[in-house]
Amino acid sequence: MSREPRIALYPGSFDPLTNGHVDIIQRGARLFDRIIVAILMNREKTPLFTAVERVDIAREVFANEPNVEIDTFGGLLVEYARRREASVIVRGLRAVSDFEYEMQMALMNRHLSPDLETVFMMPGEAYTYLSSRLVKEVFALGASVAGLVPPAVERRLLVKR
Ligand code: ADP
């Protein structure tokens, strides 16, 4: 029986993309027909990487994964999901501390768009302590971020130094 392709959105800032994000995207790519990594534009006034740079990085990292698409979005996530015909939002859950914010957002998105389902996935345990914010701090303090981010991010960070 044929069915509509199941399209998932993975929204976030990805400033920068970490190995925790990559882990979640790979899990999503195995579960759904397509996963769109949706890079939120213009939330932070001074991002480390511009939206264009973040798109370039993610496209490089997932160049060999045909069901991973990279896009940018602004405004209401549920509107963007409707436009992209996505039926699922993917979010990563690292620790209990993520839970409250994520639950509020999931329920608000359900209120706005009842058919859009939010799916939470846990990363491999090596990534549970990893966040873009910590990567930025570690890098700013001069330490190596090898193993925390894909090589494409590490390379671009070193250029910025
Ligand atoms: P946001 O600014 O919306 O939190 P992020 O890019 O930081 O965007 O994160 C996007 C999503 O990825 C969120 O669901 C977040 O919980 C999840 N995430 C971030 N880091 C990790 C990680 N190390 N492991 C699993 N999920 C993660």
Side-chain angles (χ1 to χ4, degrees):
M1 212 170 71
S2 72
R3 58 165 178 81
E4 294 287 301
R6 187 150 288 160
I7 302 172
L9 281 187
Y10 181 39
S13 314
F14 307 105
D15 187 35
L17 187 74
T18 70
N19 286 341
H21 296 131
V22 171
D23 176 291
I24 297 291
I25 294 164
Q26 284 168 339
R27 286 171 204 280
R30 288 198 292 270
L31 274 182
F32 303 107
D33 298 307
R34 180 152 29 117
I35 182 162
I36 301 171
V37 180
I39 299 175
L40 180 58
M41 293 182 301
N42 305 336
R43 200 165 58 173
E44 247 189 279
K45 287 209 177 61
T46 51
L48 180 60
F49 290 109
T50 65
V52 171
E53 286 174 315
R54 282 178 267 158
V55 167
D56 284 349
I57 290 168
R59 290 208 172 128
E60 186 180 326
V61 172
F62 294 101
N64 297 319
E65 307 211 25
N67 67 335
V68 178
E69 182 187 326
I70 317 299
D71 195 10
T72 55
F73 80 105
L76 214 50
L77 179 63
V78 296
E79 284 303 324
Y80 174 71
R82 214 167 275 151
R83 258 197 337 270
R84 298 304 319 263
E85 301 181 329
S87 55
V88 173
I89 294 174
V90 166
R91 297 286 289 176
L93 270 189
R94 286 161 290 189
V96 178
S97 50
D98 281 340
F99 183 79
E100 192 161 349
Y101 172 70
E102 292 293 342
M103 189 179 77
Q104 275 183 3
M105 260 208 330
L107 292 177
M108 179 53 79
N109 284 331
R110 178 178 288 167
H111 169 77
L112 297 172
S113 183
D115 295 333
L116 187 61
E117 205 60 64
T118 302
V119 168
F120 294 104
M121 283 194 282
M122 270 173 274
E125 59 261 36
Y127 306 123
T128 54
Y129 63 92
L130 192 53
S131 68
S132 296
R133 184 183 56 78
L134 260 186
V135 165
K136 281 187 266 201
E137 276 180 29
V138 164
F139 173 75
L141 295 171
S144 166
V145 293
L148 305 178
V149 297
V153 172
E154 205 186 337
R155 218 178 45 241
R156 283 176 173 81
L157 281 173
L158 293 175
V159 171
K160 282 194 189 286
R161 173 114 69 205

